[in-house]
Amino acid sequence: MTGSAQHTQAEAGTRYDVFHTDCPARDVVDHVTSRWGVWVLISLRNNSLRFYELRESIQGISEKMLAQTLRALVQDGLVWREVEPTTPPQVTYGLTEFGRDVGEPLTELFDRITQRLSPPTAG
């Protein structure tokens, strides 16, 4: 999860060449579509969560991978991070406006997939 690009508003009419390996937008797309990036954005779609709440909501993610994924999404400007100066510190994460904008189609995709799948069978 290296090579993050800080989100900045592009000038009107300016487009990135996402097929070029040095394109900063490509890094953001890589972070959003990473194995865990999608799940972080979907988990934060309705409300902000503390680190441990995020870890509990995304089954199968390790603390290390969650921390790396969050770090990249924060650097990209998709997720905000707030630290409360308590012992131990309580860290809360939520979506920025950019994160909500990017996460909306992911949520729609997630909803479409889950609505079209056959119900799970009792096992």
Side-chain angles (χ1 to χ4, degrees):
M1 293 269 162
T2 60
S4 296
Q6 181 66 36
H7 165 69
T8 56
Q9 191 71 16
E11 292 181 30
T14 303
R15 295 203 47 109
Y16 288 102
D17 181 5
V18 294
F19 293 102
H20 192 278
T21 57
D22 293 335
C23 178
R26 192 172 184 165
D27 289 333
V28 175
V29 171
D30 287 345
H31 297 151
V32 168
T33 60
S34 71
R35 178 175 181 186
W36 300 112
V38 170
W39 299 114
V40 168
L41 293 176
I42 290 173
S43 293
L44 292 173
R45 72 183 179 263
N46 293 323
N47 55 335
S48 58
L49 296 171
R50 291 197 174 135
F51 184 89
Y52 77 90
E53 293 171 322
L54 255 175
R55 190 184 67 222
E56 292 296 318
S57 74
I58 306 171
Q59 295 184 5
I61 193 169
S62 68
E63 282 191 28
K64 178 182 176 184
M65 284 310 303
L66 179 57
Q68 287 178 351
T69 302
L70 285 167
R71 190 175 310 116
L73 295 174
V74 167
Q75 288 175 344
D76 291 339
L78 297 161
V79 172
W80 56 261
R81 177 181 188 266
E82 182 180 299
V83 180
E84 295 177 38
T86 58
T87 305
Q90 294 181 347
V91 184
T92 305
Y93 295 90
L95 294 180
T96 63
E97 182 180 341
F98 181 40
R100 285 189 302 278
D101 194 38
V102 168
E104 187 175 323
L106 295 174
T107 298
E108 289 175 13
L109 176 65
F110 175 79
D111 290 343
R112 286 180 185 168
I113 290 170
T114 56
Q115 289 169 4
R116 300 279 279 185
L117 285 176
S118 300
T121 56

